[in-house]
Short mmCIF file of all heavy atoms in Angstrom, two decimals:
data_model
loop_
_atom_site.label_atom_id
_atom_site.label_comp_id
_atom_site.label_asym_id
_atom_site.label_seq_id
_atom_site.Cartn_x
_atom_site.Cartn_y
_atom_site.Cartn_z
N ALA A 26 -100.51 196.57 15.32
CA ALA A 26 -99.59 195.68 14.61
C ALA A 26 -100.10 195.41 13.20
O ALA A 26 -99.32 195.36 12.25
CB ALA A 26 -99.42 194.37 15.38
N ILE A 78 -117.51 181.54 8.48
CA ILE A 78 -116.31 181.66 7.64
C ILE A 78 -115.06 181.71 8.51
O ILE A 78 -114.06 181.05 8.23
CB ILE A 78 -116.41 182.89 6.72
CG1 ILE A 78 -117.54 182.68 5.70
CG2 ILE A 78 -115.10 183.15 6.02
CD1 ILE A 78 -117.90 183.93 4.93
N HIS A 84 -109.68 177.03 11.76
CA HIS A 84 -109.33 175.61 11.74
C HIS A 84 -108.20 175.31 10.76
O HIS A 84 -107.51 174.30 10.89
CB HIS A 84 -110.56 174.76 11.39
CG HIS A 84 -111.49 174.59 12.54
ND1 HIS A 84 -112.61 175.38 12.71
CD2 HIS A 84 -111.47 173.74 13.59
CE1 HIS A 84 -113.22 175.02 13.81
NE2 HIS A 84 -112.56 174.03 14.37
N LYS A 93 -93.55 173.98 5.82
CA LYS A 93 -92.18 174.30 6.19
C LYS A 93 -91.88 175.80 6.17
O LYS A 93 -91.29 176.32 7.10
CB LYS A 93 -91.20 173.57 5.28
CG LYS A 93 -89.75 173.81 5.68
CD LYS A 93 -88.82 172.98 4.86
CE LYS A 93 -87.38 173.16 5.16
NZ LYS A 93 -86.95 174.14 6.09
N CYS A 110 -95.79 187.01 2.46
CA CYS A 110 -95.29 187.08 1.08
C CYS A 110 -94.65 185.77 0.64
O CYS A 110 -94.35 185.59 -0.53
CB CYS A 110 -94.25 188.19 0.95
SG CYS A 110 -94.95 189.82 1.12
N GLY A 120 -77.81 182.69 13.95
CA GLY A 120 -78.69 181.55 14.05
C GLY A 120 -80.12 181.91 14.34
O GLY A 120 -80.89 181.12 14.80
#
Side-chain angles (χ1 to χ4, degrees):
I78 293 169
H84 282 97
K93 183 175 179 355
C110 291

